[in-house]
Amino acid sequence: MTRRNVLAGARRAILFAGVLALLILALSNPENSNEISQPAVAEEEARTIEERIMEEERLVETEYRLADRRNFLAEKCAEEGLDKPGNDSLHKPNAWEFLVNRQHHLIWCNIFKAASTSWMYNFNLLAGYSAQFLKASKTVPLTLARQRYPRPTAKELATYLNDSVSFLIVRHPFERLLSGYRDKLEQSLPNTYHSKLGVHILSHYRRKTASGSRQGPRYPLFEEFVRWLLCEWKAGNELDMHWTPIANFCTPCQVRFDVIAKFETLHDDQNYLIKHAHLDHVIKPEWKNPTRGTQTKNAVKSYFTQLTKSQIRDLYQMFRYDFILFDYSPDGYFELGREDDATTLSPNN
């Protein structure tokens, strides 16, 4: 029997013993004149104890899961040679993207499209902004955060890591990519940076009709966006933070992370993080900025069927380290792609 099973069994035994003791106490107390209400009170007390013990069990399970993720990451970093120091973006810490709260000893690498809105709100609360101010403010939350959290140097980050809890939140690479596209291009607001980027993509990657015109929606289709993105990646150009691979953005093989939370298990993971960092008196688990319309995981098929198999293979290569380091699989995506045709090979036709 594993240690985990032993702990779970022990906690269940404590639970049942506590419930039984409370019921016996409530039923046998001679000073209680209200015989109808006392069992109800005992039931409520027992339920509270049960909930606390079940929560403790979830925390223990989460702690094991997070330890497994840290070990898995270390193993894969070593296998891929990413744990060695170097001069490229994968082999040296990218301290630029970290937010460091010295008061609460909490460090976060903010990965966009992976619960970033929720945790930017939390970090702004920890920085001293009130909930009322954040609700009324028209300033971009990241701008507010950077007014309180200066970008650290690699040396400063290494020092801060010694007495802080560090974390990041990861997500399936293809879901994160699709979420970024839908939020920043498909649903872009007029006259913003991303709406102008969309116009640029349309002018270069939307195919012309026989009459020489370009027809379609005002925003790039997912396939047009992917053709542009792959060209940018293959050219070695700097990528937008909303679709930069996590391996480059947070350099997880060069920086120690205590908590590797996942979008798919975020409820339990962030509950653990908040308690582990002793912040439950300051912040609560939040889930802000839900996707408008169909949830990303349910929309995958309709978008990835626009792509060819070679485009999906190229996207996998672009996000290869994110898949490997965080134990994600591309299974189910390659089959969605259509067969390649000659028109896919050039930007504009």
Side-chain angles (χ1 to χ4, degrees):
M1 183 177 293
T2 65
R3 181 185 173 193
R4 187 180 305 185
N5 290 335
V6 171
L7 284 173
R11 294 184 186 282
R12 291 190 190 95
I14 294 170
L15 166 64
F16 293 133
V19 171
L20 182 60
L22 283 171
L23 288 173
I24 292 173
L25 179 63
L27 293 171
S28 62
N29 191 339
E31 296 181 0
N32 291 332
S33 57
N34 189 342
E35 295 181 358
I36 295 177
S37 64
Q38 286 305 313
V41 173
E43 182 180 350
E44 177 61 23
E45 291 177 346
R47 188 189 66 82
T48 302
I49 291 174
E50 179 179 359
E51 286 181 345
R52 290 177 180 176
I53 293 177
M54 290 179 66
E55 180 184 15
E56 185 66 23
E57 284 189 355
R58 285 196 299 272
L59 290 173
V60 171
E61 290 295 319
T62 302
E63 187 170 15
Y64 274 103
R65 183 169 64 243
L66 295 174
D68 288 342
R69 289 176 188 169
R70 288 194 300 271
N71 293 335
F72 184 89
L73 175 62
E75 178 184 322
K76 294 303 176 182
C77 286
E79 286 180 6
E80 298 296 328
L82 297 176
D83 57 341
K84 297 179 176 62
N87 293 321
D88 62 76
S89 62
L90 290 168
H91 292 85
K92 59 181 179 181
N94 182 25
W96 183 259
E97 301 299 345
F98 285 74
L99 288 91
V100 180
N101 187 294
R102 292 302 296 147
Q103 179 184 355
H104 298 285
H105 300 278
L106 189 66
I107 298 176
W108 172 42
C109 184
N110 169 30
I111 298 167
F112 291 89
K113 308 314 300 176
S116 55
T117 301
S118 302
W119 274 93
M120 192 64 69
Y121 176 80
N122 286 337
F123 259 69
N124 278 329
L125 287 179
L126 294 175
Y129 295 111
S130 69
Q132 293 79 7
F133 172 81
L134 293 175
K135 183 177 181 180
S137 177
K138 302 300 182 184
T139 306
V140 175
L142 178 59
T143 302
L144 290 175
R146 283 304 178 194
Q147 291 173 3
R148 302 287 176 89
Y149 300 110
R151 297 184 186 274
T153 65
K155 185 176 180 180
E156 288 172 337
L157 178 61
T159 300
Y160 299 150
L161 285 167
N162 291 328
D163 64 355
S164 301
V165 175
S166 56
F167 77 100
L168 78 171
I169 303 170
V170 301
R171 186 178 186 179
H172 189 288
F174 286 169
E175 281 192 19
R176 176 174 168 253
L177 173 66
L178 179 55
S179 179
Y181 159 77
R182 294 177 73 195
D183 183 35
K184 297 303 175 184
L185 290 173
E186 190 177 80
Q187 301 167 355
S188 65
L189 298 175
N191 302 315
T192 61
Y193 164 77
H194 286 102
S195 69
K196 294 173 183 177
L197 174 61
V199 171
H200 168 79
I201 295 173
L202 287 178
S203 66
H204 290 81
Y205 290 86
R206 178 155 291 176
R207 297 185 176 95
K208 296 179 180 179
T209 63
S211 63
S213 63
R214 294 186 176 93
Q215 298 179 351
R218 64 171 181 80
Y219 55 84
L221 298 173
F222 187 58
E223 189 274 339
E224 294 164 343
F225 161 70
V226 167
R227 271 192 290 138
W228 166 80
L229 178 62
L230 289 174
C231 285
E232 292 291 298
W233 171 64
K234 290 176 181 179
N237 296 332
E238 185 176 351
L239 302 177
D240 185 287
M241 56 194 173
H242 293 89
W243 34 79
T244 297
I246 297 171
N248 300 83
F249 200 72
C250 293
T251 53
C253 294
Q254 294 293 318
V255 177
R256 188 206 80 233
F257 285 101
D258 300 302
V259 173
I260 303 168
K262 285 195 172 187
F263 194 82
E264 298 80 6
T265 56
L266 186 59
H267 177 76
D268 286 344
D269 293 351
Q270 68 179 358
N271 268 344
Y272 174 88
L273 172 63
I274 290 170
K275 291 184 181 298
H276 183 61
H278 308 292
L279 295 173
D280 40 339
H281 65 292
V282 184
I283 57 176
K284 303 296 179 187
E286 294 280 352
W287 190 276
K288 295 182 177 291
N289 196 32
T291 302
R292 286 169 280 178
T294 308
Q295 286 192 346
T296 300
K297 66 179 180 181
N298 297 326
V300 162
K301 184 175 181 180
S302 64
Y303 287 89
F304 273 78
T305 50
Q306 297 177 29
L307 308 181
T308 65
K309 294 184 185 300
S310 66
Q311 285 174 327
I312 297 175
R313 284 194 296 269
D314 284 347
L315 284 177
Y316 173 77
Q317 288 303 316
M318 176 179 169
F319 290 98
R320 177 176 173 270
Y321 285 132
D322 287 2
F323 278 99
I324 291 173
L325 299 179
F326 302 112
D327 198 20
Y328 285 110
S329 171
D331 291 351
Y333 282 86
F334 295 122
E335 302 90 281
L336 296 176
R338 54 187 173 80
E339 295 302 323
D340 294 88
D341 55 68
T343 60
T344 311
L345 302 178
S346 58
N348 204 337
N349 291 282

